[in-house]
Amino acid sequence: MPFKKESQLEYQNLFKAFFEQSAFPMQIFGINGDLLEGNRAWEIMFQFSKHEVIEYNVFRDDQILNGPIHQGLLKALKGETVELEAFYYDPQKSVNIGRGRWLESWIYPVMDQNGNVQQLAVIHQDVTEKMATQVALVKSATERKAAEEKLRLISERLSLAVKAGKIGVWEWIPGTEEIQWDETAEKIYGAIPKLLPKTVKSFNELVHPDDRDLVYLTITDALRHQKSYRVDHRVIRTDGAIRWVQMTGVAVYNNKNSPTLMMGTVMDITDRIEAVKTRDEFVSIASHELKTPLQTLILQNQMRKRNMIKGATDPLCAKKIEQMVDTDLRHLSRINRLIDDMLDISKIRAGKLNFIKEEVEFSTFIKDVLDRFKPQVESVGSYIRYQLCRPVKMEIDAYRMEQVIVNLLTNALKYGAGKPINVELIKTSNEVKVLVHDEGPGVKEEDRMRIFERYERAVSSREVSGLGLGLYIAKQIVKENKGQIYVDSREGGGSTFVLALPY
Amino acid sequence: MTKKILIVEDDISIRELLEELLISEAYEVVTAAHGEEALEVLRAQELPHLILMDLMMPVLDGYGLRKELMKHSNWSSIPVVAMSAEANAAEKIRGYGVAAFLSKPVDIDTILRTIEQFS
């Protein structure tokens, strides 16, 4: 600001007026750093009065020394105009008064006509609000990023951990149409990508109509309370199959409490749901099967007592008593057998089914089993025809193997009552086969594997009694003996159950 | 007047014992092994005063039989006493309008009292 000699005074007055009234905070420093002047705007900005900082010297201010402002001041003393980038200055730290502000400043050297610097004029711009917004933006962006990053890490870890399992991962930005889900989720939903675009709309269509309200309410409730959620629901896959899935989800929220990102998992829980259903059915069947013979025993014995009290002579005759005792024993052994089956199941499940093997001549063994079973066969009007092979010595658990044969015979009687049962023993070069053929309705192709599973049966429980455990137990025993058991059957043409044992 | 009771029960031992019991109490008894047989009996004979039926039966179960009975005006008014060894039959039979439900195993006194009450 070089002044012309003749107008110097006029100019100084003008400058003073401008300096005082300017909306820009301004200060004048001497070249030794003493504060000479500060305007009104400057006082307002720092919320102090210039009289309170009259002793101030900028070169003795620790906040300024050795920083970019100090550098700027030194440059200005050499005659340069200096623009300072935004900096924070807190007068509390230097003069114990006022408030801290963010400033963008210019330093102008004031020179005499010889070009010597006489004073330094500093003009400030208060950028505190702008900076605060920016800081907040940076901060919220950083926080959100960190939260998203955290979620992403969880999701990545999860997806690594569950790659072999059944858990799929999904991600959605609320308000958008597109949902991201991984390969596992895609498999769970049974989605062929082209058939099922990854959109909110197609997701809604996947959810079973009866479960849509549940899913919608669960998610909206979780979002309202900013908590995670878990919901079990059915989906109708693109292949038409209905599966049970468990979906979990969690969201990231912005400072207006709106969800900005949602992600979660999806897991196929059909097997678990069905296992529970099967167990419930089993309990119901077991109850029915155990209570039915109990009902007979109770009725029978109460009748006996009634008749005796009445003094009827008929029930006391030996033949009648023998008949009644026989029925009682039959029902008791039925109850006992059911309990044994249930115990075997729990032993199999615990891997505690014990085998005591001994050397047995298999042909004679089969004949003995058949003889022992004869009364039961005759009681339903059937008979057994059998054809045995030459003697063959085998290492087996006779008790458990008899259980298998009896299971097959019981089945043959259940389904082919009143008709003959054919039993054949065949010896090949490396194995012995027992064939049990009945003339019942046969087993449908699609049921031939299933009937060896736990709690399964070829027909509904109403038709045939039993727990549906017989063939499952038989299969486990045969497996332990390294053999095979399967059914060969034509629907309507009877069934042939084959037990093959290596020797 | 001798009252006629129709017993519908698939388990032969139970069926025969119930028959013996009711005859000894001077009831007239007809029996059926399942729902379908029961309907045949109803079509062919004079109507019973009460039907004592099991629920879990082959061919046509107790629930199905009860539905059939409701469809015919002269059958729907016959009192039905249901019995079952099923775990949750007591809940399942609600809404079928049976006179009574007996949970198996049930004793003779309860059977006789219930039949006496509703026949």
Side-chain angles (χ1 to χ4, degrees):
Chain A
M1 243 181 271
F3 300 124
K4 281 183 183 164
K5 208 178 184 175
E6 57 273 15
S7 59
Q8 198 171 357
L9 187 70
E10 192 188 340
Y11 201 91
Q12 272 179 346
N13 285 337
L14 197 66
F15 176 77
K16 207 171 166 68
F18 161 73
F19 181 81
E20 270 310 319
Q21 284 160 30
S22 171
F24 288 102
M26 288 190 239
Q27 289 168 278
I28 309 279
F29 291 98
I31 52 170
N32 63 352
D34 280 344
L35 174 68
L36 303 178
E37 275 297 341
N39 72 352
R40 185 81 197 116
W42 166 75
E43 286 176 323
I44 291 167
M45 177 178 77
F46 282 126
Q47 288 187 345
F48 55 45
S49 137
K50 58 185 164 194
H51 306 296
E52 293 169 297
V53 293
I54 203 82
E55 298 287 305
Y56 181 80
N57 182 293
V58 72
F59 291 129
R60 289 201 297 269
D61 186 344
D62 289 342
Q63 254 189 105
I64 301 293
L65 285 176
N66 305 318
I69 303 168
H70 191 205
Q71 301 297 324
L73 288 166
L74 293 179
K75 270 188 196 171
L77 281 176
K78 287 176 190 157
E80 253 181 80
T81 301
V82 177
E83 186 181 345
L84 294 172
E85 275 181 30
F87 63 94
Y88 187 75
Y89 183 81
D90 187 358
Q92 282 288 348
K93 286 182 186 164
S94 304
V95 292
N96 302 316
I97 200 167
R99 58 169 184 176
R101 305 308 282 167
W102 279 93
L103 302 170
E104 276 173 12
S105 308
W106 291 264
I107 308 170
Y108 297 99
V110 183
M111 287 176 276
D112 62 13
Q113 58 258 58
N114 301 321
N116 296 321
V117 176
Q118 302 293 318
Q119 293 172 343
L120 295 174
V122 184
I123 304 178
H124 303 291
Q125 192 179 352
D126 185 344
V127 293
T128 309
E129 271 177 34
K130 192 173 101 187
M131 288 306 288
T133 321
Q134 260 181 33
V135 166
L137 277 175
V138 168
K139 205 174 149 197
S140 82
T142 318
E143 274 173 5
R144 201 178 58 233
K145 259 218 160 75
E148 285 174 8
E149 187 58 27
K150 207 166 143 195
L151 266 181
R152 215 175 292 277
L153 273 174
I154 293 170
S155 132
E156 259 170 38
R157 241 175 275 153
L158 193 64
S159 114
L160 280 175
V162 301
K163 219 147 220 173
K166 279 183 169 178
I167 303 177
V169 185
W170 60 267
E171 194 181 300
W172 178 52
I173 296 169
T176 62
E177 205 24 56
E178 199 180 355
I179 298 185
Q180 295 296 329
W181 56 62
D182 70 350
E183 263 177 58
T184 316
E186 196 147 300
K187 266 183 212 149
I188 289 168
Y189 292 138
I192 301 159
K194 272 178 195 156
L195 283 183
L196 192 81
K198 292 175 177 176
T199 61
V200 176
K201 187 168 170 281
S202 52
F203 172 77
N204 287 338
E205 282 165 6
L206 273 172
V207 178
H208 193 287
D210 294 351
D211 295 344
R212 272 176 208 162
D213 284 351
L214 172 75
V215 171
Y216 178 78
L217 289 175
T218 306
I219 295 176
T220 47
D221 184 65
L223 288 177
R224 194 176 310 126
H225 297 104
Q226 303 207 356
K227 55 179 191 184
S228 63
Y229 68 87
R230 180 161 71 191
V231 58
D232 295 354
H233 67 90
R234 285 161 293 175
V235 292
I236 303 176
R237 303 200 316 193
T238 45
D239 59 10
I242 294 174
R243 304 289 292 179
W244 276 95
V245 302
Q246 183 171 80
M247 176 176 47
T248 66
V250 61
V252 183
Y253 302 85
N254 63 15
N255 49 9
K256 284 174 187 147
N257 292 327
S258 305
T260 53
L261 176 71
M262 284 183 75
M263 61 199 319
T265 61
V266 56
M267 182 172 35
D268 192 316
I269 54 164
T270 312
D271 292 350
R272 196 202 302 168
I273 297 269
E274 272 172 8
V276 171
K277 226 161 80 188
T278 310
R279 193 195 59 204
D280 290 350
E281 270 167 28
F282 173 72
V283 169
S284 168
I285 291 168
S287 146
H288 180 264
E289 291 301 309
L290 286 168
K291 282 180 174 179
T292 302
L294 275 179
Q295 177 68 81
T296 311
L297 286 169
I298 287 173
L299 283 179
Q300 175 117 299
N301 284 287
Q302 285 185 330
M303 289 285 286
R304 207 176 295 168
K305 187 181 166 190
R306 249 169 79 94
N307 289 337
M308 274 159 62
I309 290 167
K310 272 188 188 166
T313 47
D314 181 45
L316 294 171
C317 81
K319 193 165 185 338
K320 190 86 181 179
I321 289 173
E322 196 193 332
Q323 261 180 18
M324 283 178 167
V325 171
D326 278 348
T327 341
D328 283 359
L329 291 175
R330 209 175 64 235
H331 283 100
L332 286 171
S333 80
R334 182 171 158 195
I335 293 172
N336 190 41
R337 210 168 52 237
L338 290 167
I339 294 170
D340 276 347
D341 278 1
M342 284 193 264
L343 288 176
D344 279 349
I345 283 294
S346 61
K347 277 186 204 159
I348 288 170
R349 200 181 298 171
K352 282 182 188 155
L353 203 60
N354 288 326
F355 292 92
I356 305 155
K357 291 190 183 176
E358 55 191 322
E359 197 178 74
V360 170
E361 199 290 284
F362 204 64
S363 194
T364 318
F365 164 75
I366 294 290
K367 191 178 176 303
D368 290 347
V369 174
L370 295 179
D371 284 345
R372 277 196 288 275
F373 199 68
K374 213 171 155 191
Q376 270 172 272
V377 178
E378 284 170 351
S379 74
V380 295
S382 295
Y383 60 93
I384 298 180
R385 284 192 298 238
Y386 60 84
Q387 198 177 351
L388 303 175
C389 64
R390 280 176 294 127
V392 49
K393 284 204 170 118
M394 292 177 71
E395 280 270 320
I396 54 163
D397 181 326
Y399 169 74
R400 290 292 178 194
M401 204 49 71
E402 175 160 353
Q403 212 180 335
V404 174
I405 309 289
V406 167
N407 259 321
L408 294 181
L409 293 172
T410 310
N411 259 339
L413 277 188
K414 241 188 232 174
Y415 294 96
K419 293 166 188 164
I421 296 167
N422 285 298
V423 177
E424 204 178 338
L425 189 61
I426 301 168
K427 186 180 157 190
T428 69
S429 59
N430 58 353
E431 59 179 12
V432 173
K433 277 185 182 172
V434 185
L435 280 67
V436 179
H437 178 80
D438 66 60
E439 291 178 15
V443 185
K444 286 181 198 154
E445 178 94 47
E446 63 264 30
D447 292 335
R448 282 179 208 166
M449 300 292 275
R450 187 176 63 83
I451 55 171
F452 291 99
E453 295 301 314
R454 203 187 306 171
Y455 314 132
E456 292 290 356
R457 47 177 81 228
V459 291
S460 85
S461 58
R462 312 238 151 153
E463 312 285 333
V464 171
S465 63
L467 293 174
L469 295 174
L471 286 175
Y472 174 75
I473 294 170
K475 190 183 176 182
Q476 303 311 311
I477 294 171
V478 173
K479 224 158 78 180
E480 281 295 323
N481 285 280
K482 299 185 170 58
Q484 278 182 296
I485 188 166
Y486 54 89
V487 62
D488 195 3
S489 174
R490 264 176 319 203
E491 207 181 329
S495 314
T496 305
F497 281 84
V498 183
L499 163 65
L501 293 167
Y503 72 93
Chain B
M1 187 193 76
T2 313
K3 281 178 176 169
K4 187 175 175 179
I5 311 292
L6 168 58
I7 299 170
V8 194
E9 166 67 64
D10 63 325
D11 187 286
I12 184 167
S13 312
I14 298 175
R15 190 168 70 235
E16 283 176 2
L17 283 163
L18 288 172
E19 185 177 17
E20 192 186 334
L21 171 69
L22 294 185
I23 287 170
S24 78
E25 287 294 313
Y27 286 102
E28 186 190 338
V29 178
V30 276
T31 62
H34 51 72
E36 204 56 60
E37 265 188 35
L39 291 174
E40 278 168 35
V41 169
L42 290 171
R43 281 185 208 109
Q45 299 184 15
E46 200 187 323
L47 295 181
H49 293 85
L50 182 139
I51 298 171
L52 177 64
M53 67 168 193
D54 185 25
L55 287 177
M56 218 159 144
M57 292 184 292
V59 190
L60 180 65
D61 65 14
Y63 304 98
L65 173 59
R66 180 63 189 148
K67 279 187 200 159
E68 284 301 314
L69 294 175
M70 303 284 265
K71 287 184 194 163
H72 295 76
S73 53
N74 44 342
W75 291 351
S76 60
S77 55
I78 306 171
V80 174
V81 173
M83 40 180 196
S84 180
E86 240 181 312
N88 50 356
E91 291 101 73
K92 275 167 77 183
I93 197 64
R94 273 187 213 149
Y96 281 82
V98 294
F101 171 77
L102 305 175
S103 180
K104 282 183 182 175
V106 53
D107 61 275
I108 282 179
D109 290 344
T110 310
I111 294 172
L112 290 178
R113 206 180 332 114
T114 312
I115 289 177
E116 172 73 33
Q117 187 186 343
F118 293 104
S119 66

